[in-house]
Amino acid sequence: MTTSNPFGSEPNHHVLSVLVQNRPGVLARVASLFARRGYNIFSLAVAPTEQEDYSRITIVVDLESATLEQMVKQLFKLVDVVRISELDPRNSVERELMVATVRATAEQRGQIVELVNIFEGKILGVGPEALSVSLDGSPEKLNDFSELLKQYGIIESQRTGRVALPKLDRTARVRAVKETKGKAS
Amino acid sequence: MKSNQQLTGAEALIKGLELEKVEVMFGLPGGCILPAYDPLIKSTIRHILVRHEQGAGHMAEGYAHVTGRPGVAMVTSGPAATNLVTPLCDAYMDSIPMVAITGQVPTSAIGTDAFQECDTVGITRSITKHNELVMSADDLPLAIRQAFHIATTGRPGPVLIDVPKDVLQNMMTWHWPSDDEVIDSLPGYKPTTKGHPRMIKEAAKLILESKQPILYVGGGVLKARAAEALRELAELMNIPVVTTLMARGAFPDNHPLCLGMPGMHGTATAVTAMQRADLLIALGSRFDDRVTGKVSTFAPDAKIIHVDIDPAEQGKVRKPDVPIVGDCRLVIEEMIVALRDLMAGGTKQADISAWRSRVNGWKENFPLAYEPSEPGAALKPQYCLEKLRDASPEGTILVSGVGQHQMWSSQFWHFNEPYTWVNSGGLGTMGFSVPAAVGAKVGRPDKTVWAIDGDGCFQMTAQELITASVEQIPIKVGILNNSNLGMVRQWQEMFYDNRYSQVHFSESVPDYVKMAESMGCVGIRVEAPEEVESAIDKANSINDRPVVVEFRVAPTEQVFPMVAAGRSNDEIMLQPSQEKRRELLR
């Protein structure tokens, strides 16, 4: 399901914000559509919105724009999909969270703590030979952080996939659908 | 409509179906769906008990094809649900409105690999327009209303409702949702039906400018009940029409503007006219690979107006110059108004007379043709179809399976009315015809219904003739028996150097006459040309039971014209006697 890293500078990287009815199986529908039509998902984050009837799925895809148009149309055919917006990185706020366990001898510990502080990350746990750290921020910032940690040895790491919303001046438009009620089986 | 009426889920389900004006459903009971079969005893709904669940699905499709109303199939969980997979996919590919109801193991057993449990909504997710596992009896009425709404609006398609056994048994307070409640419950479902006025005007301008236009008519025209509007448009502008496999009958074959079917086995005229056109007006058609041949060489000089209710069809295969999302009937009607306005304002239609005479020249030189059989030699399948066509009453509904017989049926029949042709186009489901014919006859008992089948197809679903006999549904089946999987054989001849592999059926087994009789049908065997007419007359005169006519036809016959898969439409293989005139197709 994943492809080469499209974060940052890749030309075919598109971020879709998909508002869906919060119902059983909706994620499976979206995932199965991607699989069935041969589209690649790079990352995917999903959680209920401030209104419990709706969830927002942020999908990063790596596609030609003609394919993207077709993919968006196919996605919109799903009955549970209420709204799809392509988020232009220049006009949206994007965040991603990473947690990592990094090899850290007693001598290295201070260096890593310093690095975490520079990036405004957090120390989540300290062991005799390792540190657990977390960082949230733009995907690019996470990439840079991750690169710098590599020299110490990353034992395990997990990223959430990005979540994104349009920049504030555009949110009024996004809120338009909220008053509808979505209740079924 | 709130009430205090207490019903079981099963009673609510059947009551809901009645309120959706379901008159007939096709199905077969089993463990998990059992509760729903009890209130059916005193329901107004006619239930037709099939012999295999696949039959129920295809019957629902056949019913929907000829009536325009959603076909309903109800079966139990597990193997019954998986047996519905083929018809659901078939209905999805051909945009047939259908509602399927499947039983499911009780909610407490879901996920435990219980007896006859399968993940029905998971399995059918990509082959239904929508599906739903209903987890509470209170949710059933809304699920039913949503299912019928979704199946019949926008681009029609199959919707499946999966109902656990305890949901059918539990009590609920009856409530029938209003239209508004249904719409509000589906905030993500708002099909566009009215075309964009600016786009329609753009289209009208292109039509007036075009010197070589073709109306490329697909199944969407039939789904939109747009045959009359189409005829008005074609006659207003004198534009020749091709009707795809899914649209046969949408425009009368006997109309001077009709060029017949395009595509892999389409007429040389229809195929070539599309290739040479400067404008294709695609109405409810989806640029299927069987129509376009090699896409990069398809209609290279044509601008495209694409009218489709499904936005995802716009630009999927070929980028349109003027995309119009909307219902075909509404859009065509608006297009006629726009054309009339422009012409009233002084815009003149470009001169298309040279184009018309060129197209008519192709029609004269490249009619559908076959070599009649030599005296004493085996019957030709095309001959049987011509005789059947000429001897059957006006408005006869023809239902076919998939393969050579399907192509000959589409070619040699004259479809002069809409909704008289039922076949499996997109999925190409062998075995479609017998059960689909049963469903068609149930939907239109006033019409003569002929299923044309191959011997390969017939053996896949023939048992539904038992259903037809027992339920007194007098369909007629013509088997074009060539003892072969004919289309596969043709491909092995053309593309595998006559190396036959697993295409030969037995000449002697089964005995189709005995097989028919054993299922309560009349069986007739036809082996010589002089027997054809009397057999057809006899079959047409029998109306108290199904009839099976076995036509023993030449196994070597091939379908022409043909555009080989993946090749350009310009490389069309003509009927051999016409090859010498190929130059005229330029």
Side-chain angles (χ1 to χ4, degrees):
Chain A
M1 192 147 103
T2 60
T3 169
S4 62
N5 188 341
F7 281 118
S9 57
E10 296 274 335
N12 293 331
H13 136 212
H14 302 272
V15 183
L16 297 177
S17 177
V18 184
L19 189 70
V20 298
Q21 282 189 280
N22 187 5
R23 300 171 66 180
V26 62
L27 183 60
R29 281 183 212 282
V30 171
S32 122
L33 182 129
F34 274 73
R36 143 99 172 86
R37 303 249 173 210
Y39 306 131
N40 283 323
I41 298 178
F42 180 79
S43 83
L44 182 147
V46 54
T49 63
E50 62 287 355
Q51 280 214 327
E52 61 179 38
D53 288 343
Y54 294 95
S55 286
R56 184 171 285 108
I57 306 178
T58 306
I59 310 174
V60 181
V61 290
D62 187 14
L63 291 173
E64 301 288 333
S65 54
T67 318
L68 178 77
E69 184 186 332
Q70 176 63 204
M71 193 215 79
V72 167
K73 286 171 168 178
Q74 293 292 348
L75 200 53
F76 205 65
K77 282 172 75 169
L78 297 178
V79 168
D80 294 332
V81 171
V82 177
R83 179 188 292 277
I84 305 172
S85 343
E86 189 190 351
L87 298 180
D88 181 339
R90 287 164 302 185
N91 292 317
S92 50
V93 286
E94 298 181 313
R95 282 295 178 271
E96 191 175 354
L97 173 69
M98 177 174 88
V99 292
T101 301
V102 188
R103 210 175 293 287
T105 59
E107 303 81 63
Q108 290 170 326
R109 203 175 286 148
Q111 297 171 27
I112 295 171
V113 169
E114 191 181 17
L115 202 55
V116 169
N117 286 336
I118 292 167
F119 276 85
E120 298 177 311
K122 287 197 176 69
I123 306 292
L124 302 177
V126 183
E129 287 175 358
L131 281 176
S132 286
V133 301
S134 79
L135 178 69
D136 72 280
S138 70
E140 295 76 14
K141 184 177 170 187
L142 264 60
N143 287 350
D144 294 345
F145 184 57
S146 181
E147 270 310 306
L148 289 164
L149 288 181
K150 268 187 191 160
Q151 57 178 308
Y152 304 102
I154 297 175
I155 297 164
E156 271 185 306
S157 79
Q158 168 75 58
R159 291 171 68 155
T160 55
R162 73 182 71 180
V163 293
L165 286 177
K167 277 188 182 158
L168 198 54
D169 55 328
R170 293 180 50 183
T171 52
R173 194 172 60 78
V174 173
R175 288 185 188 283
V177 288
K178 299 297 170 48
E179 63 277 12
T180 47
K181 51 184 186 304
K183 166 74 187 81
S185 49
Chain B
M1 276 199 289
K2 288 250 182 228
S3 76
N4 291 322
Q5 194 183 3
Q6 296 291 304
L7 297 179
T8 64
E11 288 165 341
L13 172 68
I14 299 301
K15 183 169 176 169
L17 295 176
E18 288 170 355
L19 286 169
E20 287 290 349
K21 302 186 178 66
V22 175
E23 288 168 0
V24 59
M25 58 201 283
F26 307 91
L28 191 124
C32 289
I33 197 72
L34 259 177
Y37 271 81
D38 191 61
L40 199 56
I41 294 171
K42 51 181 197 294
S43 169
T44 57
I45 299 171
R46 178 183 181 192
H47 180 277
I48 289 168
L49 176 62
V50 299
R51 267 43 181 181
H52 186 287
E53 290 90 351
Q54 184 189 356
H58 292 319
M59 286 177 202
E61 289 188 87
Y63 176 89
H65 258 285
V66 300
T67 62
R69 309 197 43 225
V72 180
M74 181 162 83
V75 303
T76 193
S77 63
T82 57
N83 282 342
L84 259 192
V85 165
T86 300
L88 285 170
C89 191
D90 193 273
Y92 189 57
M93 291 287 269
D94 286 346
S95 309
I96 310 298
M98 175 177 167
V99 173
I101 295 148
T102 48
Q104 183 54 275
V105 299
T107 49
S108 58
I110 288 177
T112 66
D113 302 317
F115 177 64
Q116 292 192 332
E117 181 185 7
C118 74
D119 176 14
T120 304
V121 291
I123 290 168
T124 60
R125 189 170 286 133
S126 67
I127 52 166
T128 51
K129 188 174 172 188
H130 190 60
N131 65 16
E132 201 74 62
L133 171 63
V134 182
M135 292 295 278
S136 154
D138 288 308
D139 293 337
L140 269 169
L142 182 59
I144 294 164
R145 288 226 57 192
Q146 288 177 332
F148 280 84
H149 177 63
I150 293 168
T152 56
T153 53
R155 180 178 183 167
V159 178
L160 179 140
I161 310 176
D162 198 25
V163 194
K165 189 171 190 177
D166 57 328
V167 171
L168 292 170
Q169 290 164 325
N170 290 344
M171 297 307 290
M172 54 88 74
T173 306
W174 173 252
H175 169 66
W176 188 238
S178 68
D179 289 355
D180 284 348
E181 283 175 75
V182 176
I183 306 284
D184 286 350
S185 71
L186 299 166
Y189 182 72
K190 293 181 187 107
T192 306
T193 54
K194 204 172 170 309
H196 195 290
R198 188 168 53 80
M199 289 299 180
I200 290 174
K201 197 167 175 193
E202 283 297 308
K205 281 186 196 157
L206 278 187
I207 292 171
L208 285 166
E209 285 165 14
S210 166
K211 295 191 177 84
Q212 306 190 162
I214 289 290
L215 283 159
Y216 160 30
V217 172
V221 166
L222 289 172
K223 303 297 179 326
R225 322 306 274 187
E228 270 180 51
L230 165 67
R231 186 169 178 160
E232 195 184 340
L233 174 65
E235 289 177 349
L236 177 70
M237 309 308 295
N238 277 306
I239 301 174
V241 179
V242 303
T243 50
T244 69
L245 182 65
M246 292 311 296
R248 306 287 291 129
F251 191 76
D253 276 336
N254 61 6
H255 195 288
L257 287 168
C258 189
L259 311 183
M261 178 172 75
M264 181 177 270
H265 293 295
T267 65
T269 307
V271 171
T272 306
M274 290 178 95
Q275 288 302 95
R276 305 289 175 265
D278 69 1
L279 177 67
L280 289 182
I281 307 151
L283 303 171
S285 46
R286 59 182 179 87
F287 296 81
D288 181 81
D289 56 277
R290 287 306 196 249
V291 168
T292 61
K294 189 178 175 187
V295 175
S296 59
T297 64
F298 173 66
D301 303 321
K303 291 194 170 169
I304 308 286
I305 297 167
H306 193 177
V307 182
D308 204 296
I309 199 158
D310 180 355
E313 289 302 339
Q314 308 279 0
K316 186 179 82 178
V317 176
R318 173 85 174 249
K319 192 169 163 33
D321 298 271
V322 181
I324 305 175
V325 177
D327 171 87
C328 268
R329 188 173 60 78
L330 298 179
V331 173
I332 294 170
E333 286 170 0
E334 289 296 320
M335 215 180 252
I336 291 168
V337 172
L339 285 162
R340 289 219 163 99
D341 284 353
L342 283 169
M343 290 191 287
T347 312
K348 287 207 160 46
Q349 182 182 14
D351 183 5
I352 62 166
S353 57
W355 172 240
R356 287 288 313 280
S357 59
R358 204 169 150 203
V359 169
N360 285 335
W362 294 330
K363 266 175 95 167
E364 269 165 47
N365 281 293
F366 301 96
L368 289 163
Y370 64 95
E371 296 296 328
S373 54
E374 301 290 331
L379 271 172
K380 287 297 176 86
Q382 301 96 326
Y383 174 81
C384 301
L385 277 162
E386 286 180 327
K387 289 293 165 193
L388 181 61
R389 173 194 73 202
D390 295 340
S392 294
E394 193 63 29
T396 292
I397 291 169
L398 195 66
V399 186
S400 92
V402 170
Q404 286 184 317
H405 69 278
Q406 174 190 30
M407 292 298 113
W408 286 317
S409 298
S410 177
Q411 290 178 337
F412 286 91
W413 203 262
H414 296 158
F415 297 98
N416 295 326
E417 289 176 45
Y419 315 109
T420 55
W421 168 240
V422 180
N423 89 127
S424 164
L427 193 63
T429 307
M430 285 179 68
F432 177 81
S433 82
V434 168
V438 171
K441 182 70 180 170
V442 169
R444 292 303 303 264
D446 54 318
K447 297 253 194 181
T448 300
V449 176
W450 270 95
I452 289 295
D453 227 352
D455 47 316
C457 282
F458 182 77
Q459 291 186 40
M460 288 192 177
T461 50
Q463 81 287 344
E464 296 311 332
L465 279 168
I466 304 169
T467 307
S469 286
V470 173
E471 298 272 350
Q472 298 185 313
I473 303 160
I475 63 164
K476 305 171 201 313
V477 182
I479 306 171
L480 299 176
N481 176 15
N482 59 7
S483 312
N484 272 276
L485 298 168
M487 190 59 94
V488 183
R489 181 190 161 107
Q490 176 168 342
W491 284 47
Q492 289 182 349
E493 280 165 4
M494 289 180 161
F495 312 119
Y496 293 87
D497 232 356
N498 294 322
R499 280 178 293 123
Y500 298 118
S501 177
Q502 305 297 320
V503 285
H504 185 245
F505 274 30
S506 162
E507 267 85 9
S508 53
V509 183
D511 180 324
Y512 289 98
V513 171
K514 283 186 184 159
M515 193 176 172
E517 285 168 353
S518 76
M519 294 188 285
C521 310
V522 175
I524 304 169
R525 179 171 297 123
V526 177
E527 286 172 295
E530 58 274 17
E531 299 166 10
V532 171
E533 272 174 83
S534 61
I536 291 168
D537 289 343
K538 185 179 172 194
N540 276 333
S541 70
I542 297 169
N543 279 313
D544 61 347
R545 71 196 68 185
V547 186
V548 176
V549 184
E550 177 202 7
F551 298 98
R552 295 210 142 200
V553 299
T556 50
E557 197 62 14
Q558 296 185 329
V559 184
F560 285 106
M562 178 168 185
V563 178
R567 304 301 286 269
S568 164
N569 281 348
D570 291 326
E571 299 172 63
I572 185 170
M573 293 182 262
L574 300 168
Q575 205 271 332
S577 71
Q578 296 176 352
E579 274 292 352
K580 57 182 180 293
R581 295 199 289 277
R582 167 175 287 279
E583 289 294 291
L584 298 173
L585 281 175
R586 275 186 300 187

